[in-house]
């Protein structure tokens, strides 16, 4: 079969897509980038926020058209939207032949190799590797799947960089977030497995490793391995061929000085801290079920800058969370102005089914959310421009991926 894939959402989801592509290739299937040439199309979906869910549904419908009037024989939907709404997807989009949740990644070979469209029934129930059918209409256990260094994987990134997922899932209970339900509890990979995969990636020409998980700074803690991330960084920095190692998605309560010291003392570790803080007003943070306070965040960021000279700081925040007042937003603006992040992403809040915040009144009007987003991004553009001007005249090392 000729397999095509559309991968949506975050880099963690992209790694799942790459694993599924590797499993399909090792099973003898051919891969194509052209949906019109595919016998089977796989859509790996995202369901983190409303706009991501809409993009996923739109993409499924677009790919379903290839099955209606094109070459495609099977349409497989995977990922977070599939994990959350598998029964609804099957009922509302009859062109879908198989649905795989986030824990069903190894079953992709069975899903792409089923009967062609037009068979009876139109939806082919997926069988697990033990031959048992996936149950529907019942509560499902949270996913537990975790790939390792021996799992086939086909990179979808340019040759010079790759994402390396060091853990899966999340143990936090943030009020706005559905990730623990969609991805399961936090589970770290074995250190040696991560290093072996890094060595394989380096042998394939990868120069920059981007370590990803829901909370990379929590790596190893679930296994009782305190200090595991610092040890992992040290090991990865000694992998021949790797020039840069970048960490994504650190958490404010789990960043240790050992990690900051490794970052400051090893020129292969990018001095880049991606730290989603979500807000700065204490009352909003409390309703969000986020740890910490504005004062605590300011002390943390000062500590990071003190231990890692020249560090680049990035964060994301949510505006319009239930109960966010004008005063709360003004405090967020004051925080952003005082800290001066190098990079800032701003999301507008949307109610997500199955989250604790769903029970709160979504009382900030959509027009106010969008205005706050625009105001904060306008403020950040001025901050970023000042930061860039300060770089004029400096000399930096760059990684050239090819012609622009």
């Amino acid at each position: 079969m000729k397999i095509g894939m559309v991968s949506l959402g975050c880099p963690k989801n992209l790694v799942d897509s790459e694993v599924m592509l590797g499993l399909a290739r090792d099973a003898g299937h051919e891969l194509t980038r052209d949906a019109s040439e595919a016998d089977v199309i796989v859509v790996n979906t995202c369901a983190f926020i409303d706009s991501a869910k809409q993009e996923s549904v739109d993409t499924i419908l677009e790919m379903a058209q290839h099955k209606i009037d094109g070459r495609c024989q099977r349409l497989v939907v995977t990922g977070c939207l599939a994990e959350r709404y598998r029964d609804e997807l099957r009922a509302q989009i009859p062109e879908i032949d198989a649905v795989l949740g986030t824990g069903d990644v190894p079953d992709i070979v069975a899903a792409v190799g089923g009967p062609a469209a037009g068979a009876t029934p139109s939806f082919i129930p997926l069988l697990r590797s033990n031959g048992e059918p996936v149950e529907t209409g019942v509560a499902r256990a949270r996913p537990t799947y975790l790939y390792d260094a021996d799992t086939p994987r086909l990179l979808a990134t340019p040759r010079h960089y790759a994402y390396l997922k060091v853990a899966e899932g999340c143990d936090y209970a943030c009020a706005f977030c559905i990730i623990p339900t969609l991805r399961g509890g936090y589970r770290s990979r074995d250190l040696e497995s991560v290093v072996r995969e890094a060595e394989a990636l380096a042998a394939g020409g990868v120069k920059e490793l981007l370590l990803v998980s829901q909370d990379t700074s929590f790596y190893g803690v679930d296994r009782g391995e305190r200090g595991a991330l610092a040890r992992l960084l040290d090991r990865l920095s000694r992998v021949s061929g790797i020039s840069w190692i970048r960490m994504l998605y650190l958490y404010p309560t789990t960043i240790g000085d050992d990690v900051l010291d490794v970052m400051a003392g090893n020129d292969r570790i990018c001095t880049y801290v991606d730290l989603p803080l979500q807000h700065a007003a204490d009352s909003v943070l409390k309703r969000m079920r986020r740890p910490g306070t504005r004062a605590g965040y300011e002390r943390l960021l000062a500590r990071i800058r003190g231990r890692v000279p020249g560090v680049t700081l990035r964060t994301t925040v949510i505006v319009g969370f239930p109960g966010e007042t004008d005063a709360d937003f003004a405090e967020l603006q004051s925080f952003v102005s005082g800290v001066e992040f190098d990079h800032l992403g701003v999301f507008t809040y949307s109610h997500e089914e199955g989250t604790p915040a769903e029970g709160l009144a979504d009382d900030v009007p959509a027009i106010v959310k969008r205005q706050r987003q625009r105001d904060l991004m306008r403020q950040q553009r001025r901050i970023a421009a000042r930061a860039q001007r300060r770089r004029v005249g400096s000399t930096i090392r760059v990684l050239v991926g090819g012609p622009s």
Side-chain angles (χ1 to χ4, degrees):
M1 305 285 278
K2 189 174 286 189
I3 313 296
M5 175 174 280
V6 181
S7 186
L8 304 172
C10 67
K12 300 182 289 294
N13 212 39
L14 179 62
V15 173
D16 290 346
S17 296
E18 293 173 336
V19 168
M20 286 188 279
L21 288 172
L23 291 167
R25 177 194 57 188
D26 280 17
H29 296 292
E30 185 181 349
L31 306 176
T32 179
R33 293 179 181 272
D34 187 348
S36 67
E37 293 295 319
D39 301 312
V40 180
I41 296 177
V42 181
V43 182
N44 193 13
T45 60
C46 178
F48 184 52
I49 55 178
D50 273 348
S51 58
K53 288 190 284 190
Q54 187 61 55
E55 181 187 25
S56 293
V57 171
D58 290 345
T59 303
I60 294 169
L61 293 173
E62 180 185 350
M63 294 301 109
Q65 198 62 39
H66 290 283
K67 186 178 175 185
I68 295 169
D69 56 19
R71 169 174 171 164
C72 180
Q73 302 172 43
R74 282 181 68 75
L75 177 61
V76 179
V77 177
T78 70
C80 288
L81 192 74
E83 181 71 32
R84 185 73 180 90
Y85 300 108
R86 66 174 63 226
D87 292 344
E88 293 87 342
L89 287 169
R90 293 188 325 182
Q92 296 179 25
I93 309 178
E95 291 82 9
I96 296 174
D97 294 285
V99 180
L100 303 183
T102 58
D104 303 324
V105 170
D107 296 319
I108 188 64
V109 175
V112 302
T120 302
S122 61
F123 175 79
I124 310 300
L126 177 67
L127 298 180
R128 295 192 180 280
S129 54
N130 63 4
E132 296 179 356
V134 173
E135 293 185 68
T136 60
V138 297
R140 288 166 49 83
R142 293 205 300 177
T144 59
Y145 174 73
L146 185 62
Y147 86 109
D148 60 31
D150 297 318
T151 307
R153 183 180 168 195
L154 181 65
L155 295 187
T157 51
R159 184 171 179 262
H160 60 281
Y161 73 88
Y163 294 101
L164 204 170
K165 191 189 294 191
V166 300
E168 180 60 277
C170 184
D171 285 347
Y172 296 109
C174 301
F176 53 81
C177 186
I178 194 68
I179 293 298
T181 299
L182 299 180
R183 291 280 175 176
Y186 195 94
R187 48 204 188 275
S188 299
R189 290 176 57 187
D190 175 72
L191 186 146
E192 295 301 328
S193 173
V194 176
V195 172
R196 284 201 295 121
E197 185 179 11
E199 291 170 342
L201 292 170
V206 169
K207 297 298 180 185
E208 178 175 356
L209 290 177
L210 295 103
L211 308 187
V212 292
S213 72
Q214 202 61 32
D215 172 13
T216 300
S217 48
F218 196 70
Y219 173 77
V221 176
D222 59 305
R223 299 162 61 99
E225 301 170 357
R226 294 283 177 179
L229 180 58
R231 292 191 295 273
L232 176 63
L233 290 172
D234 178 65
R235 290 286 302 278
L236 292 176
S237 70
R238 290 185 271 130
V239 173
S240 177
I242 297 297
S243 299
W244 284 349
I245 299 163
R246 187 184 306 274
M247 292 178 288
L248 301 184
Y249 319 126
L250 307 179
Y251 204 77
T253 57
T254 50
I255 299 178
D257 287 343
D258 55 346
V259 171
L260 297 177
D261 291 344
V262 170
M263 184 182 294
N266 191 320
D267 63 5
R268 288 193 178 187
I269 312 297
C270 293
T271 54
Y272 174 89
V273 174
D274 191 324
L275 186 73
L277 296 177
Q278 310 305 0
H279 215 278
D282 291 356
S283 60
V284 178
L285 289 169
K286 185 176 181 179
R287 288 195 302 278
M288 285 181 167
R289 300 187 182 180
R290 296 284 291 182
T293 62
R294 173 181 175 174
Y297 287 171
E298 288 171 339
R299 288 193 297 270
L300 168 65
L301 296 169
R303 177 165 63 92
I304 292 172
R305 281 176 163 153
R307 298 189 84 97
V308 187
V311 67
T312 293
L313 293 176
R314 177 185 183 271
T315 196
T316 54
V317 297
I318 299 171
V319 294
F321 189 79
E324 184 191 56
T325 63
D326 289 341
D328 293 330
F329 179 66
E331 185 166 358
L332 177 59
Q333 287 182 299
S334 171
F335 173 73
V336 169
S337 176
V339 171
E340 295 199 340
F341 292 98
D342 299 279
H343 304 280
L344 175 73
V346 182
F347 293 89
T348 56
Y349 172 78
S350 62
H351 257 351
E352 299 303 324
E353 294 177 271
T355 64
E358 186 186 9
L360 302 176
D362 192 5
D363 56 358
V364 181
I367 190 172
V368 174
K369 294 177 185 178
R370 291 193 295 271
Q371 186 60 54
R372 288 175 179 175
Q373 181 187 44
R374 287 193 292 268
D375 289 348
L376 200 53
M377 289 307 297
R378 190 180 302 115
Q379 175 182 331
Q380 176 61 24
R381 281 193 290 273
R382 293 192 293 269
I383 293 170
R386 288 197 298 271
Q388 295 292 59
R389 282 195 292 271
R390 287 194 292 268
R391 297 170 69 93
V392 173
S394 63
T395 300
I396 60 171
R397 188 162 57 111
V398 300
L399 177 61
V400 179
S404 175

